[in-house]
Amino acid sequence: MISSLCNAICTGEKMVNHPSTPKPKSLYATFRIVGTDLVPSEINALLQLTATSKRARGEMVLVSNKPSETGYWLLETEDSPSRKFKDHLNELIDKLETKIGILEELQKRGFQMSFSAYAMAESENVELHMDIATLKRLSAFPSTLWFDMYFNVE
């Protein structure tokens, strides 16, 4: 099963052994920049984009009620009818692709960047896949890619 899922994610092919595998209930993607000295308004200006979520170092974190040790800048897709990671990631790539040079400069300043794909599923058996073309586009960015999956299984 795991090797089938890895194959499905990497090749974009449907999992042959599970043709009726359900899609995730909700899916979205983010691009995140994190750094100790990150100032969200500076990132907005450099990228000419407005963060969907942001926090400067020292601002209070609601969950912990402590000041944030780092700043972050986040660009997020909205949950949409598409249940494919590639659609959500390509939406972010389309907004950021012309800004790779700026992102490389930010990396040189010590900022860390990542693309994240999130899925919420109602069962443990969910079909997720990624096409090679999107992975190639992502490889041009000075960032990592990670998947965060939540299962609502009783």
Side-chain angles (χ1 to χ4, degrees):
M1 172 65 180
I2 295 205
S3 64
S4 296
L5 178 59
C6 290
N7 184 47
I9 289 172
C10 295
T11 66
E13 296 177 13
K14 293 192 179 214
M15 295 180 0
V16 176
N17 297 335
H18 302 284
S20 63
T21 305
K23 302 281 189 241
K25 179 180 177 184
S26 124
L27 192 142
Y28 65 98
T30 66
F31 177 75
R32 177 186 331 211
I33 304 173
V34 178
T36 305
D37 300 324
L38 185 142
V39 178
S41 60
E42 176 188 4
I43 304 300
N44 282 344
L46 284 170
L47 297 178
Q48 298 178 343
L49 293 168
T50 301
T52 51
S53 180
K54 63 188 182 325
R55 181 182 303 129
R57 181 179 181 192
E59 288 183 24
M60 294 303 287
V61 179
L62 295 176
V63 176
S64 67
N65 202 27
K66 294 180 182 178
S68 176
E69 295 180 13
T70 62
Y72 76 87
W73 185 95
L74 189 75
L75 192 60
E76 182 175 68
T77 64
E78 293 185 17
D79 189 23
S80 70
S82 172
R83 293 294 179 252
K84 295 181 181 178
F85 283 139
K86 72 175 190 166
D87 295 339
H88 289 267
L89 290 168
N90 278 307
E91 179 183 329
L92 294 171
I93 293 168
D94 289 345
K95 292 177 181 178
L96 294 163
E97 200 163 36
T98 61
K99 300 159 190 331
I100 290 176
I102 296 166
L103 297 174
E104 290 170 338
E105 289 300 316
L106 291 171
Q107 183 184 43
K108 289 177 186 174
R109 291 175 45 190
F111 296 114
Q112 298 175 357
M113 288 161 257
S114 62
F115 284 91
S116 304
Y118 297 88
M120 173 63 79
E122 292 185 337
S123 73
E124 293 177 348
N125 190 16
V126 175
E127 180 182 295
L128 303 168
H129 52 88
M130 176 68 63
D131 66 322
I132 296 301
T134 301
L135 290 173
K136 284 181 182 178
R137 290 181 77 195
L138 285 167
S139 71
F141 287 84
S143 66
T144 59
L145 168 64
W146 53 279
F147 297 89
D148 201 356
M149 313 221 188
Y150 300 91
F151 298 98
N152 184 19
V153 178
E154 296 183 20

